[in-house]
């Protein structure tokens, strides 16, 4: 029997097949992965004295971490280059200055020799301090080079003990470099302060925070993160917008990252040829506490300041990301040289109205991610339907026909079922 759920699933499958057929790969552009370099992962493990605590399935936190590492090493995909860094593993003393330098590369990032890596992990014993900030800086250096994906997986059971080097600020600095490095964090203790610090680290780089209280949860989560590193990703390219369009950088299709101060405007330029369509989206992340009532505005204007189109979003409350987007089709003209059509320079203005909460640092600016896509657009301005499908009008027709036929089938089945019910 055809049910409502099955019918909906069939329509969804048809939509997925149709939209998949529209994705045609083009040449590599700014911000796109080339696939030439292997993905890299650096597992950063807290080996401070508190890891001796026995509160994970009857064993110590260190034992749970070792078990997880051994299983993860067995399951690591062949294409992933993996390394292991420790913090607090070597210095047992009370000198804070020395303890805050206690981070070491236990196993270098590179092709994985599982036996050697497991042997290195087996030697670890809970020892010293918790220098998370210094360890993250060194881990970023471990992953230096190449254009493949880069991921740090930090596992800790306590807050950083090496202030004033704030690990959250360290993560923001890493994100601001635009090297496409993601930091995921896992907390072994359900502690509010630890959760706040590890969440801040992860959010600053687009990563995730997870609280784990059992050994199998730790193993599963680390495995997921290592596997995720092998997935193709787009690495943002660092850029720096200007205070006015005339001095703004010219961007091509790709993914870009920048920082925008509170109350600041950032300008970028894109060249659009006749017959092309410019599609742009921007996301601004609130990586610290902000006041309620905020918004993001994205405008496309001419070099003379005339507004072409805009996209905006607003909210009221605590959020992590606000996004806005726009589309601008540049119509073809009959009076231009077909061999050398003159491009139009479109100025993109990004403005946000976030404001820092009392006592919160305003620098560096908030992370900004800009996606630019210049594609072959409709041949005529009239071809751009109000649905925003451009020359994909045929897809709209297929969807309408599909819905019509599905409605007929559903109506016929409903009448048939009612007739059967009445006869019984």
């Amino acid at each position: 029997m055809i049910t409502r759920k099955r019918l909906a699933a069939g329509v969804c499958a048809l939509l997925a097949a149709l939209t998949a057929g529209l994705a045609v790969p083009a040449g590599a552009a700014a911000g796109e992965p080339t696939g030439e370099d292997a993905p890299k992962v650096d597992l950063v493990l807290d080996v401070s004295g508190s890891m001796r605590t026995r509160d994970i399935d009857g064993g110590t936190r260190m034992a749970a971490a070792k078990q997880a590492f051994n299983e993860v090493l067995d399951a690591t995909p062949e294409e992933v280059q993996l390394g292991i860094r420790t913090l607090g593993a070597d210095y047992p003393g009370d000198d804070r200055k020395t303890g805050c330098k206690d981070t070491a590369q236990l196993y270098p990032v590179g092709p994985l020799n599982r036996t050697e890596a497991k042997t290195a992990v087996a030697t670890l014993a809970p020892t010293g301090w918790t220098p998370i900030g210094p360890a993250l800086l060194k881990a970023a250096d471990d992953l230096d080079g190449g254009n493949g994906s880069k991921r740090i997986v930090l596992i800790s059971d306590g807050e950083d003990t090496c202030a004033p080097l704030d690990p959250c600020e360290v993560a923001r600095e890493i994100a601001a470099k635009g090297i496409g490095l993601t930091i995921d964090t896992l907390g072994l203790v359900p502690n509010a302060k630890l959760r706040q610090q590890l969440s801040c680290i992860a959010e600053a780089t687009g990563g995730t925070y997870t609280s784990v209280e059992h050994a199998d949860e730790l193993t599963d989560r680390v495995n997921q993160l290592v596997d995720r590193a092998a997935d193709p990703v787009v690495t943002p390219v660092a850029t720096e917008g200007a205070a006015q369009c005339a001095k703004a950088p010219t961007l091509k299709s790709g993914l870009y990252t920048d920082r925008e101060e509170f109350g600041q405007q950032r300008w970028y330029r894109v060249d659009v040829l006749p017959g092309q369509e410019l599609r742009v989206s921007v996301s601004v992340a609130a990586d610290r506490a902000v006041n309620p009532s905020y918004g993001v505005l994205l405008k496309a204007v001419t070099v003379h300041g005339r507004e072409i189109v805009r996209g905006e979003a607003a909210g009221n409350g605590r959020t992590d990301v606000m996004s806005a987007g726009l589309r601008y089709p540049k119509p073809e003209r009959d009076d231009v040289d077909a061999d050398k059509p003159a491009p139009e320079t479109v100025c993109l203005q990004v403005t946000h109205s976030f404001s820092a909460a009392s006592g919160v640092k305003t620098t560096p600016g908030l992370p900004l991610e800009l996606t630019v896509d210049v594609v072959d657009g409709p041949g005529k301005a009239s071809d751009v339907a109000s649905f925003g499908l451009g020359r994909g009008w045929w897809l709209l027709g297929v969807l309408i026909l599909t819905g019509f036929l599905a409605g007929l089938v559903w109506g016929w089945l409903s009448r048939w079922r009612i007739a059967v019910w009445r006869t019984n």
Side-chain angles (χ1 to χ4, degrees):
M1 180 183 298
I2 298 178
T3 65
R4 188 184 299 270
K5 289 184 178 179
R6 288 182 180 176
L7 182 59
V11 173
C12 289
L14 175 61
L15 292 178
L18 289 171
T19 53
L22 297 176
V24 180
E32 294 184 357
T34 64
E36 295 176 356
D37 295 325
K40 297 179 180 179
V41 179
D42 207 8
L43 303 179
V44 180
L45 178 61
D46 179 354
V47 195
S48 60
S50 57
M51 290 289 283
R52 300 189 191 96
T53 306
R54 291 180 172 272
D55 59 358
I56 297 185
D57 300 335
T60 65
R61 299 170 185 172
M62 192 73 244
K66 286 184 176 182
Q67 175 185 332
F69 270 44
N70 284 335
E71 295 184 29
V72 168
L73 292 172
D74 284 334
T76 298
E78 293 294 337
E79 65 270 26
V80 173
Q81 294 191 0
L82 186 140
I84 303 172
R85 172 168 288 277
T86 61
L87 60 95
D90 300 314
Y91 178 69
D94 297 327
D95 183 71
R96 181 178 177 279
K97 185 175 181 180
T98 303
C100 288
K101 296 179 181 178
D102 186 10
T103 178
Q105 194 176 54
L106 184 71
Y107 186 84
V109 176
L112 181 61
N113 183 312
R114 290 172 171 77
T115 301
E116 291 182 5
K118 287 182 179 181
T119 300
V121 170
T123 64
L124 295 176
T127 303
W129 295 63
T130 312
I132 293 178
L136 291 178
L137 287 173
K138 292 292 186 181
D141 292 338
D142 297 343
L143 298 171
D144 189 33
N147 58 10
S149 66
K150 303 179 181 70
R151 187 175 295 271
I152 293 173
V153 180
L154 169 65
I155 303 170
S156 180
D157 72 336
E159 300 171 70
D160 181 272
T161 54
C162 294
L165 184 60
D166 184 351
C168 193
E169 292 295 333
V170 169
R172 290 175 184 145
E173 291 176 10
I174 291 174
K177 293 179 180 179
I179 57 177
L181 193 158
T182 302
I183 304 176
D184 297 291
T185 58
L186 292 91
L188 303 184
V189 177
N191 176 283
K193 289 185 177 181
L194 175 63
R195 179 177 66 251
Q196 181 178 7
Q197 186 172 86
L198 295 185
S199 294
C200 182
I201 292 171
E203 289 174 3
T205 61
T208 59
Y209 162 73
T210 306
S211 177
V212 294
E213 299 181 42
H214 299 283
D216 56 346
E217 292 176 352
L218 180 61
T219 300
D220 291 344
R221 185 56 179 154
V222 178
N223 260 326
Q224 290 173 3
L225 295 174
V226 173
D227 288 342
R228 186 177 298 172
D231 295 336
V233 298
V234 176
T235 301
V237 174
T239 189
E240 186 172 348
Q244 51 187 311
C245 180
K247 299 182 179 180
T250 299
L251 308 181
K252 298 183 181 299
S253 292
L255 180 64
Y256 299 87
T257 183
D258 198 357
R259 288 267 175 175
E260 185 172 28
E261 304 291 343
F262 293 94
Q264 187 182 45
Q265 293 181 353
R266 301 297 265 176
W267 287 88
Y268 311 88
R269 296 159 61 100
V270 181
D271 291 333
V272 183
L273 291 170
Q276 290 185 327
E277 183 173 270
L278 171 63
R279 305 171 184 174
V280 185
S281 64
V282 65
S283 296
V284 178
D287 61 351
R288 67 206 75 174
V290 296
N291 293 318
S293 186
Y294 40 72
V296 172
L297 172 64
L298 173 64
K299 289 201 304 184
V301 303
T302 68
V303 291
H304 303 296
R306 179 178 61 84
E307 182 176 318
I308 303 172
V309 66
R310 67 166 55 194
E312 52 192 323
N316 186 14
R318 178 70 176 97
T319 187
D320 292 323
V321 177
M322 288 293 292
S323 302
L326 59 82
R327 299 178 72 169
Y328 169 59
K330 176 65 176 174
E332 290 184 349
R333 292 175 53 189
D334 298 331
D335 58 343
V336 298
D337 188 341
D339 295 328
K340 296 181 180 179
E344 175 187 9
T345 297
V346 177
C347 302
L348 299 174
Q349 179 195 38
V350 179
T351 309
H352 73 77
S353 58
F354 285 104
S355 60
S358 177
V360 174
K361 293 182 179 180
T362 59
T363 57
L366 298 182
L368 179 155
E369 196 167 80
L370 190 70
T371 303
V372 177
D373 196 13
V374 181
V375 299
D376 291 334
K380 298 179 181 179
S382 59
D383 287 341
V384 182
S386 59
F387 306 99
L389 292 177
R391 283 186 286 184
W393 60 266
W394 58 270
L395 175 59
L396 177 63
V398 171
L399 297 182
I400 292 174
L401 179 60
T402 301
F404 176 71
L405 293 176
L408 288 179
V409 172
W410 179 250
W412 179 81
L413 288 174
S414 298
R415 291 185 178 184
W416 175 75
R417 292 176 62 187
I418 292 173
V420 171
W421 177 75
R422 286 178 175 175
T423 57
N424 292 332

